[in-house]
Amino acid sequence: MSTVLLWLRNDLRLHDQPVLHAACRMGAQHLLPVLCLPDIQVRTRWGFARFGPHRRTWLANTIRNLAQGFHELRSQLLILNAPAPVVLPSLAHAVGASTLVCEDIAAPEEQAEVDALRAAGLTVHTVWQSSLLRPDRLPWPVQQLPAVFTPFREAVERAGLQPDAPLPVPDALPKVPPHIPRYYLQEQVPALDALAGPSPSPDARSAVSGLQGGESAALAHLRRYLARGLPHRYLRTRNGLMGLDYSSKWSPWLSTGALSPRQANAELRQFEATHGATQSSYWLWFELLWRDYFRFLHLRHGPHLFRARGLGPVRATPHDDQRFAAWCAGQTGQPLVDAAMRELATTGYLSNRLRQVTASFLVHDLDCDWRAGAAWFEAQLLDYDVYSNQGNWLYIAGRGCDPRGGRRFDPAKQAATYDADGAYRRLWGTQ
């Protein structure tokens, strides 16, 4: 085996990178890291672009930082502006590779990509790595995953399960192949610039103002967050609506794989060892377990999570295009919902509390299709993650893992509880 392709997907980092280590262990003379850019022209079935401007800019910055990281290891990230099933077989042939290593992603489109590469004759090795805990170490086979979160969490904690220690960045990588055809190289910078597009105008109101995509920024933010002692106030502030510090803001980097959940947890444990573990710092572990649960839910149910019915019985899924458009634009007439939707469109971010409130309003008050809302969030959120986005929308709609059969949040009550003085609604121009 002279050359192996390392296909980067949602694992855009060098620290704690099991796929990278697996590729290095194969003993190939050459290793070619490669990344395929998403097609930014794709539109959803609901008529809008699948990749909004905030998500595109965040991803482009992440890729640039990753490319710099490979350069510092005397390697090279090859950036291709074509779908993986189309371009990777021809690239493999051009550089004399027959083997490809990549992250395993348990969602239908991502599984179909791997199937297509195998059908094209490539040997594809997939490595599961996006969860905090390993699925093969759970108290039960993943096909027996509890139907709701709480029994899952309780069993994990009773068993004392802990994640693997994060892996270091390799000291060196196998060299890239000496002869990469020029046509694979010449479009890299223009394609990445096209992905980024015009940078959205900065907005001082944004809860993620000043943050930037990429592994370097991820690790710096994690360490600042811990150095400031913020885990000890997380439980008290996590339902906040404004500013940087009410939540950890790890999700934008976790979503692209620029931050490993095992690295975040390991540094959190070091913080607790030095400064003390509290119920508040525990809650960060709790949130990481929720993130894991949605991943394992996809391992168990796969494409069933993408049906209109989700995991429930067949039932009507109403939709109204005009009401949906008003929701997207923040023009429903409900002040808290409209403020939140304006924040989302302006900044690409929204607090967890308001994600629940706006999703509930679309499904339970406007009687619209939950899949349309999930698609809008996918386009807008710079921290979009297929597992958490799908899992949370199903939960709110009562078609996933919610034991109550769905959640309706009264927006007036939510505003009275979490925006009692109206500051958030004033900030986004609805009061």
Side-chain angles (χ1 to χ4, degrees):
M1 185 185 301
S2 61
T3 300
V4 167
L5 298 184
L6 170 68
W7 176 28
L8 284 304
R9 306 179 82 187
N10 286 339
D11 50 353
L12 306 184
R13 65 178 183 273
L14 295 172
H15 75 275
D16 191 36
Q17 178 56 292
V19 168
L20 177 58
H21 284 261
C24 291
R25 287 195 300 269
M26 290 184 169
Q29 183 180 2
H30 299 114
L31 178 67
L32 180 56
V34 58
L35 182 147
C36 298
L37 297 177
D39 184 353
I40 58 176
Q41 302 303 320
V42 170
R43 302 186 73 80
T44 71
R45 60 184 289 189
W46 315 102
F48 49 84
R50 190 170 184 181
F51 292 86
H54 299 286
R55 187 178 167 204
R56 286 170 51 183
T57 298
W58 187 269
L59 179 59
N61 288 335
T62 300
I63 295 170
R64 289 191 181 102
N65 186 248
L66 181 64
Q68 179 61 32
F70 275 109
H71 177 74
E72 292 171 1
L73 286 173
R74 299 185 178 181
S75 183
Q76 178 182 357
L77 176 64
L78 184 62
I79 301 168
L80 303 175
N81 191 25
V86 173
V87 72
L88 292 186
S90 61
L91 172 66
H93 178 76
V95 300
S98 61
T99 299
L100 179 149
V101 187
C102 67
E103 176 190 6
D104 188 10
I105 302 175
E109 291 181 6
E110 290 79 359
Q111 292 288 305
E113 288 181 315
V114 171
D115 291 343
L117 291 171
R118 287 175 173 151
L122 286 175
T123 299
V124 181
H125 297 279
T126 60
V127 179
W128 179 265
Q129 65 175 23
S130 71
S131 57
L132 184 65
L133 302 173
R134 285 176 44 172
D136 60 354
R137 292 184 181 171
L138 295 176
W140 356 248
V142 74
Q143 291 305 316
Q144 297 176 18
L145 183 77
V148 296
F149 171 72
T150 298
F152 161 79
R153 177 185 60 80
E154 291 173 344
V156 163
E157 293 180 340
R158 277 197 307 270
L161 295 185
Q162 292 297 322
D164 292 338
L167 296 168
V169 177
D171 294 327
L173 300 178
K175 294 180 181 179
V176 299
H179 302 295
I180 303 173
R182 171 179 265 180
Y183 55 83
Y184 289 113
L185 299 168
Q186 59 190 7
E187 293 297 323
Q188 294 194 88
V189 173
L192 196 52
D193 289 344
L195 170 65
S199 296
S201 300
D203 193 309
R205 297 173 295 175
S206 173
V208 292
S209 178
L211 301 185
Q212 182 169 312
E215 178 178 17
S216 299
L219 294 174
H221 174 80
L222 171 64
R223 286 155 193 171
R224 280 195 303 268
Y225 181 81
L226 298 173
R228 296 173 62 209
L230 294 178
H232 282 165
R233 53 179 283 195
Y234 174 76
L235 186 58
R236 185 174 72 253
T237 65
R238 67 189 180 93
N239 282 311
L241 308 183
M242 297 181 291
L244 178 65
D245 293 340
Y246 67 79
S247 65
S248 71
K249 302 298 189 297
W250 296 349
S251 63
W253 293 290
L254 287 168
S255 67
T256 56
L259 176 64
S260 157
R262 292 172 294 277
Q263 186 70 36
N265 182 72
E267 298 199 26
L268 175 63
R269 296 304 188 205
Q270 292 175 0
F271 169 87
E272 291 179 323
T274 302
H275 302 286
T278 65
Q279 183 67 12
S280 183
S281 62
Y282 161 82
W283 216 257
L284 289 162
W285 156 266
F286 180 95
E287 301 287 11
L288 288 172
L289 283 185
W290 254 118
R291 180 178 179 273
D292 265 19
Y293 181 73
F294 284 139
R295 279 160 165 71
F296 300 146
L297 200 69
H298 278 70
L299 279 175
R300 178 179 176 184
H301 295 288
H304 290 173
L305 298 172
F306 294 78
R307 306 178 301 186
R309 62 187 285 192
L311 301 180
V314 175
R315 53 174 154 157
T317 304
H319 188 68
D320 184 285
D321 287 335
Q322 290 185 330
R323 289 198 294 264
F324 176 64
W327 178 81
C328 293
Q331 296 176 354
T332 69
Q334 210 304 316
L336 183 64
V337 170
D338 289 349
M341 298 307 293
R342 293 177 191 181
E343 180 188 8
L344 176 61
T346 303
T347 72
Y349 191 81
L350 199 58
S351 69
N352 182 63
R353 172 60 50 180
L354 289 177
R355 294 183 199 201
Q356 295 179 84
V357 172
T358 54
S360 164
F361 192 77
L362 180 72
V363 173
H364 300 297
D365 292 76
L366 298 182
D367 289 324
C368 286
D369 192 329
W370 68 270
R371 295 170 298 172
W376 183 252
F377 273 24
E378 175 181 354
Q380 300 302 313
L381 287 169
L382 57 86
D383 65 349
Y384 166 74
D385 168 82
V386 62
Y387 301 112
S388 295
N389 192 60
Q390 203 73 7
N392 276 307
W393 274 93
L394 284 162
Y395 185 89
I396 292 292
R399 303 181 186 215
C401 60
D402 181 14
R404 300 185 195 174
R407 301 287 168 122
R408 181 185 181 274
F409 291 80
D410 180 345
K413 182 178 179 181
Q414 294 289 310
T417 303
Y418 300 106
D419 188 37
D421 61 0
Y424 177 81
R425 283 163 287 171
R426 287 194 299 274
L427 184 67
W428 294 103
T430 62
Q431 187 180 68

